[in-house]
């Protein structure tokens, strides 16, 4: 598992470099994509990335300058903005990650539905465990 995590971290840096950004910005862009139509505020993004609102402002500024995101007025509060992915940027990211995800899908095809359910359970529970542990150590 340590090897997978380390390789993932190296890959994240490589992918970010190929997209003209740093790994933190790519991670935040991933959170923006994950949110889909439920556009995040800067505060939402800061909470997910565990950075200050000041830091996330710099991240959003860089992503906006690079053409990855736009700011949209919040329909319920005009003083607040929401962050939306730019479709051309989504297409660039998809083109880079697409072959990797295709290989993952091919690999998943080797597993039965019951095995996929176990894998899904493991990743879901491990993701929560990891998030909970990070919160715990941040409080100390």
């Amino acid at each position: 598992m340590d090897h997978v995590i380390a390789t993932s971290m190296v890959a994240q840096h490589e992918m970010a470099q190929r997209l003209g950004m740093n790994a933190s910005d790519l991670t935040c862009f991933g959170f923006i994509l994950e949110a889909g139509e439920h556009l995040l505020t800067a505060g939402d993004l800061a909470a997910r990335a565990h950075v200050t609102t000041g830091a996330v402002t710099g991240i959003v500024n860089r992503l906006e300058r690079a053409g990855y995101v736009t700011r949209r007025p919040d329909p319920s509060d005009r003083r607040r903005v929401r962050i939306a992915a730019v479709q051309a940027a989504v297409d660039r990211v998809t083109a880079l990650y697409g072959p990797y995800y295709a290989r993952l899908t091919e690999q998943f095809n080797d597993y039965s539905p019951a095995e996929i359910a176990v894998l899904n359970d493991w990743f879901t529970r491990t993701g929560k465990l990891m998030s909970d542990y990070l919160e715990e150590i941040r409080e100390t």
Side-chain angles (χ1 to χ4, degrees):
M1 186 166 132
D2 288 340
H3 178 75
V4 169
I5 291 169
T7 303
S8 177
M9 291 173 66
V10 170
Q12 183 80 341
H13 286 277
E14 176 71 23
M15 297 295 208
Q17 183 179 20
R18 289 175 181 267
L19 292 165
M21 62 176 90
N22 65 48
S24 296
D25 293 1
L26 179 57
T27 298
C28 286
F29 188 65
F31 287 133
I32 293 164
L33 293 178
E34 181 182 52
E37 295 299 314
H38 305 288
L39 303 181
L40 302 176
T41 65
D44 297 333
L45 186 56
R48 288 184 188 198
H50 295 278
V51 298
T52 65
T53 54
V56 90
T57 298
I59 291 168
V60 173
N61 287 344
R62 286 191 300 275
L63 289 172
E64 188 173 42
R65 277 193 308 270
Y68 282 91
V69 301
T70 61
R71 290 174 165 100
R72 294 186 186 164
D74 186 316
S76 63
D77 183 351
R78 292 286 186 195
R79 296 168 295 176
R80 188 168 39 182
V81 296
R82 301 258 172 196
I83 305 157
V86 172
Q87 187 58 51
V90 174
D91 295 344
R92 284 194 306 271
V93 171
T94 301
L96 182 60
Y97 278 90
Y100 172 68
Y101 283 118
R103 291 175 187 182
L104 281 177
T105 299
E106 189 176 309
Q107 183 171 307
F108 280 123
N109 288 335
D110 293 339
Y111 295 94
S112 71
E115 290 169 323
I116 295 290
V118 170
L119 290 168
N120 184 58
D121 177 67
W122 189 88
F123 280 107
T124 301
R125 291 172 56 198
T126 301
K128 179 164 179 12
L129 183 148
M130 187 180 298
S131 293
D132 290 348
Y133 185 68
L134 285 172
E135 288 300 319
E136 183 181 316
I137 64 174
R138 284 187 176 116
E139 293 173 1
T140 60

